[in-house]
Amino acid sequence: MSTTTASATAPAADHPTTTVKKPDPARARRRRRLSQWGFIAPAVLFMVLFFGYPLVRNVLMSFQDYSPSTFFDGKAPFNGTDNWSKVFQDDLFGKALWHTVVFTIGSLIGQFGIGLALAVFFTKRFPLNGVLRSLILLPWLVPMVVSGIVWRRILDQDTGVLNSFLDTFGLGGATPWLTSPGMALFSVILVNIWIGIPFNMVILYGGLQEVPKELYEAASLDGASAWRTFRSITLPLLKPVITVVLVLGFMSTVKILDLILALTDGGPADSTQTLGTLTYQNSFVQLDFGAGAVVGNVLILISAVFAVFYLRANRSEGK
Amino acid sequence: MTAAHIPERARGRRRRAGRRATVPLTVVSALVATAALAGCGQQRDDDVYTVLNSSTDDSYHGWDAATLSRCSKRLGITIEQQSVPAAQVMTKSLRMASSKSLPDVIQFDASEMPTFAEAGGLIDLRTLGLSTQDIPRGIVDFGSYKGTYYGAARTVNTLALFYNKDTLKKAGLEVPTTWAEMRQSAKKLTKGKQYGIALSAGGAEDGVFQFTPFMWSNGGDESHLASKQVAQALDYWKSLIKDGSLSKSTVNWTQADVNDQFMAGNAAMMINGPWQVETLNTKKNLDWGIARIPVPKAGDDSVGPLGGAVLTVPKTGDTAREKTAAKIIDCMAGEKEQITYARNSWMVPANEKAAAVWRKEVPELDALADQVATARSRTAKVGARWSSVSLALQSAFQSALTGQSSEAALQRAQQRATSGK
């Protein structure tokens, strides 16, 4: 056994003298740097292959005439800004952009507000606290497409459970949840809020556990009201967690696709068309990959802006 | 590799210096390389042929497996099927084309075939020795693009009017044959939770498929959406909603949803296709009948959309295999197999002789066979542009059904469909 360890640390047999030599500091440094790169290299390679390459390809594709025949002859001639002007001139793009903004802001406000309220609620001790908390996690476990399909049935204007439920209370049981263009986006947001609450609640609940109990004691000794305690202690100390929740929530909401496809297919009359569904429609229904790439790039750009905010916020927290 | 040219000594030192660094690096690149190779370099097995289809449904997958095993035996080869969801057949095929790993036969939905043909991916089946004898002209056109016969259909389908016999009898109503009759009957049949009629006006191909018989029977045309005839057809749908005999939820229904509504007794009649029959028959006490889709006025032709899939041979560059692929299609689309498939799936055999045999077997679906005789292919006029037209039309009828005027909605659709050229 001892021989193997020796040969592992000693250099290979062809240069037995090198070990005896005094180590050359420059060479040692070079070697160290090389080995450092060795550890970073797999990550860099991974990033370049699976993030860099698709990203660059997507940007390039948005300036190319990329059609089904490209898959056969590999020819995708560059066509300048044709794809971009085509997409921007289509009034569907403006609509989709607006819907995306409304959808994202609406979802975030709802998810975060209710998530925070529930998180605060569950910091109180009461029987069945744990059971209830895990029940609220359920929407998180259900795949997005399944939620979409189930909610589509629940929200059906005539045969949906929600309307017949409302009807029993005399609350006007014929609400056109998904069938009126004015209402559909709102309903889709509601479903997305339902899906997003658990995530917000869990992270915020975790953050609340970190707030020292003494601060609350001190506050109650000072006679602070519940609202005042929440505003002056809970919120400021929760700030870093809130940033994380909101930014992550933003990223997953802005690119929404599966939920909308399952609920409304972008309809009725394009009233729930978002940038996500537009990319899908351009690329995979119309097979106009150039136009699809344009919308995709716009989405990436929006996300990138928020990613920068996120990194900034994190850096200042680290100090 | 280049390493061979480096002198032995230098190579040894280099290897040592970088050992710790290169180990993780090589492992990762090796993994990536094998993953990449596995993705594209699919080796074709000499005696194994592949058919790509969308038979992900249990029963369809089983029927196709049986057909392929019979054809395997007859041709002395092994034929395997690879099934992906219908919406992925096109994108999967394109990806396979770019990685040079196309299957031997692809079963495309007929409305998608022109796109693949236009990209230059399909072979003229006539040059591979397949004949179109005994196949009605309409169905040859159905499998053709710009006059070239690329796709052989086994069976075709179309839409028809399904009705609940008991409900109609109780109301003392005849099966409607004209728009006016259908509107009246639907109105009379609407009571309580039951609507007179159900159809799909959803924001996908389902909705467009269902709109075509109304558009075409009225003389409308997909290459000119902003016409009076198309607007009238749309107004007819609007009138059904206005009467309350068609649920407003129609804009959110797929054809499967429509079938569910009909089976649940929420609709007395529905527009749907034969692929629902398997499900319909699971409800034993439901006595349904089938009729041609009503026309604007008595004497008009009821023109429905021709639906179904076609079997195509993609260009793989391997002539011998392509010839065998044609034989596979010849077997799958042969008279006997057509009848078997039609019997299973309730669709109409493409071949005239086979259709005649089938008609005797299932007289209750006679109306469907009649409807197929006059049915039209969606892509005959606009070809590969169909997807743009379809998207524009979806948006238009949904706008119109939810309040806008038909003319304005169709005007916009016309612009959208042509700007996408």
Side-chain angles (χ1 to χ4, degrees):
Chain A
M1 269 337 252
S2 61
T3 45
T4 38
T5 27
S7 68
T9 42
D14 53 352
H15 288 292
T17 42
T18 39
T19 30
V20 196
K21 261 190 191 165
K22 234 169 54 184
D24 173 3
R27 224 179 117 183
R29 207 182 312 129
R30 212 167 54 228
R31 190 180 290 188
R32 199 168 61 236
R33 182 159 302 162
L34 240 155
S35 70
Q36 280 166 355
W37 270 108
F39 282 102
I40 297 171
V44 171
L45 191 75
F46 181 83
M47 291 292 283
V48 167
L49 268 174
F50 294 104
F51 290 94
Y53 177 72
L55 201 71
V56 171
R57 266 305 283 275
N58 208 48
V59 172
L60 283 179
M61 209 188 257
S62 66
F63 296 102
Q64 282 175 308
D65 185 10
Y66 209 100
S67 65
S69 58
T70 308
F71 289 89
F72 291 92
D73 51 22
K75 279 185 208 134
F78 283 92
N79 58 2
T81 51
D82 281 9
N83 293 330
W84 291 80
S85 54
K86 188 168 78 188
V87 168
F88 288 146
Q89 271 163 22
D90 187 357
D91 52 349
L92 198 55
F93 177 80
K95 259 186 171 178
L97 184 65
W98 171 242
H99 295 156
T100 311
V101 170
V102 173
F103 180 83
T104 310
I105 294 177
S107 298
L108 281 186
I109 292 175
Q111 293 174 351
F112 179 77
I114 300 174
L116 182 63
L118 283 171
V120 171
F121 174 69
F122 280 114
T123 51
K124 306 264 185 303
R125 287 223 183 115
F126 56 86
L128 290 183
N129 179 315
V131 178
L132 279 176
R133 207 150 25 97
S134 37
L135 273 181
I136 288 181
L137 285 185
L138 275 178
W140 208 1
L141 303 176
V142 183
M144 196 73 115
V145 178
V146 176
S147 317
I149 293 169
V150 171
W151 273 100
R152 200 159 67 95
R153 303 218 152 193
I154 295 175
L155 296 175
D156 191 281
Q157 189 175 344
D158 300 310
T159 52
V161 178
L162 186 60
N163 273 348
S164 44
F165 175 75
L166 290 177
D167 213 17
T168 52
F169 293 99
L171 287 166
T175 316
W177 298 106
L178 295 171
T179 47
S180 133
M183 189 89 189
L185 187 61
F186 172 73
S187 310
V188 174
I189 292 173
L190 280 188
V191 175
N192 193 47
I193 289 174
W194 177 82
I195 290 171
I197 288 172
F199 171 74
N200 283 264
M201 189 197 81
V202 167
I203 308 281
L204 291 170
Y205 181 80
L208 285 174
Q209 303 299 305
E210 298 289 305
V211 181
K213 297 276 174 291
E214 302 87 66
L215 292 178
Y216 290 115
E217 275 166 35
S220 73
L221 283 178
D222 286 343
S225 65
W227 171 238
R228 182 67 206 262
T229 315
F230 178 76
R231 221 177 35 151
S232 304
I233 298 176
T234 314
L235 268 190
L237 286 172
L238 210 55
K239 213 185 117 205
V241 182
I242 291 176
T243 329
V244 174
V245 168
L246 285 182
V247 173
L248 291 182
F250 174 85
M251 303 272 203
S252 60
T253 314
V254 78
K255 62 176 169 56
I256 190 78
L257 171 71
D258 36 9
L259 179 70
I260 294 187
L261 285 187
L263 276 174
T264 60
D265 250 321
D270 294 319
S271 61
T272 52
Q273 213 59 273
T274 60
L275 292 182
T277 57
L278 200 59
T279 316
Y280 174 80
Q281 217 174 59
N282 277 329
S283 299
F284 298 113
V285 180
Q286 290 197 277
L287 302 174
D288 186 348
F289 298 95
V294 171
V295 187
N297 285 330
V298 171
L299 259 180
I300 292 173
L301 214 68
I302 296 173
S303 298
V305 170
F306 275 81
V308 170
F309 274 129
Y310 173 67
L311 290 175
R312 275 254 174 108
N314 261 14
R315 200 173 301 153
S316 53
E317 291 304 331
K319 269 178 196 164
Chain B
M1 282 204 180
T2 45
H5 303 292
I6 299 170
E8 198 53 36
R9 265 176 64 133
R11 212 172 81 190
R13 195 180 301 143
R14 219 167 89 139
R15 193 171 52 203
R16 248 195 340 275
R19 172 166 293 165
R20 266 193 282 178
T22 41
V23 167
L25 188 77
T26 35
V27 169
V28 170
S29 18
L31 279 177
V32 170
T34 36
L37 282 178
C40 58
Q42 206 178 50
Q43 199 64 45
R44 287 200 182 86
D45 201 328
D46 268 350
D47 277 326
V48 181
Y49 290 77
T50 338
V51 175
L52 179 72
N53 59 22
S54 60
S55 310
T56 46
D57 215 44
D58 221 20
S59 38
Y60 283 82
H61 198 81
W63 302 331
D64 275 336
T67 300
L68 291 180
S69 88
R70 283 190 294 270
C71 288
S72 292
K73 209 174 277 169
R74 191 186 307 168
L75 297 170
I77 50 175
T78 311
I79 313 169
E80 282 168 358
Q81 67 173 327
Q82 195 180 353
S83 305
V84 296
Q88 286 169 28
V89 174
M90 175 57 79
T91 45
K92 168 112 189 160
S93 306
L94 287 174
R95 278 203 309 276
M96 289 171 110
S98 73
S99 63
K100 309 253 178 285
S101 59
L102 279 166
D104 298 285
V105 174
I106 305 178
Q107 180 180 318
F108 277 113
D109 186 90
S111 69
E112 289 191 324
M113 181 273 287
T115 307
F116 207 77
E118 195 182 63
L122 296 178
I123 301 181
D124 182 352
L125 292 183
R126 285 195 184 102
T127 64
L128 291 174
L130 286 181
S131 102
T132 48
Q133 222 191 336
D134 297 333
I135 305 174
R137 169 116 208 119
I139 292 172
V140 175
D141 287 346
F142 177 68
S144 304
Y145 176 59
K146 289 192 175 157
T148 312
Y149 181 60
Y150 291 112
R154 282 188 282 176
T155 57
V156 287
N157 62 57
T158 189
L159 293 168
L161 179 75
F162 288 70
Y163 56 91
N164 188 320
K165 282 185 180 165
D166 299 333
T167 317
L168 255 70
K169 204 196 277 170
K170 227 180 274 167
L173 290 167
E174 290 289 309
V175 182
T177 56
T178 64
W179 283 5
E181 282 174 27
M182 182 160 107
R183 189 174 170 188
Q184 261 175 355
S185 305
K187 217 170 169 178
K188 280 184 193 148
L189 290 164
T190 303
K191 18 177 163 30
K193 286 207 94 163
Q194 177 185 281
Y195 283 91
I197 186 152
L199 53 84
S200 158
E205 189 65 18
D206 275 19
V208 180
F209 198 60
Q210 297 235 326
F211 184 63
T212 50
F214 293 91
M215 172 165 85
W216 287 338
S217 300
N218 198 40
D221 195 318
E222 61 275 24
S223 56
H224 186 50
L225 294 175
S227 72
K228 207 177 77 200
Q229 288 90 338
V230 184
Q232 278 169 351
L234 195 43
D235 280 335
Y236 180 68
W237 269 18
K238 282 181 85 162
S239 71
L240 294 174
I241 289 191
K242 214 179 96 211
D243 291 349
S245 17
L246 172 62
S247 165
K248 284 180 179 152
S249 303
T250 182
V251 293
N252 204 29
W253 282 345
T254 62
Q255 299 186 104
D257 292 329
V258 169
N259 193 46
D260 287 346
Q261 297 292 337
F262 181 72
M263 283 174 73
N266 294 332
M269 304 183 280
M270 70 166 174
I271 306 287
N272 226 324
W275 55 90
Q276 308 289 12
V277 171
E278 205 196 352
T279 319
L280 276 176
N281 283 348
T282 58
K283 200 173 169 186
K284 292 279 176 289
N285 58 352
L286 180 74
D287 192 10
W288 54 271
I290 191 170
R292 300 178 72 169
I293 295 176
V295 289
K297 51 187 190 308
D300 287 348
D301 269 339
S302 179
V303 188
L306 211 46
V310 290
L311 297 162
T312 63
V313 178
K315 270 187 192 152
T316 53
D318 186 336
T319 333
R321 281 189 80 97
E322 286 167 358
K323 285 221 170 91
T324 316
K327 279 185 195 143
I328 296 174
I329 293 182
D330 194 37
C331 172
M332 287 175 79
E335 260 174 63
K336 263 176 90 182
E337 288 299 338
Q338 279 197 10
I339 294 171
T340 314
Y341 192 71
R343 213 181 276 146
N344 285 329
S345 63
W346 301 95
M347 295 188 207
V348 184
N351 182 299
E352 255 163 5
K353 286 184 192 159
V357 176
W358 176 84
R359 260 182 198 247
K360 269 183 219 140
E361 274 187 29
V362 272
E364 69 265 34
L365 291 184
D366 236 14
L368 202 72
D370 289 341
Q371 187 93 55
V372 160
T374 53
R376 214 167 105 177
S377 139
R378 281 164 290 168
T379 51
K381 288 210 167 151
V382 292
R385 267 184 51 236
W386 173 255
S387 65
S388 303
V389 174
S390 164
L391 282 176
L393 193 53
Q394 282 161 37
S395 181
F397 64 65
Q398 291 212 322
S399 301
L401 293 182
T402 52
Q404 237 189 16
S405 86
S406 301
E407 284 80 12
L410 289 166
Q411 206 81 50
R412 260 206 68 237
Q414 178 63 40
Q415 275 167 17
R416 224 176 116 184
T418 40
S419 74
K421 250 185 216 170

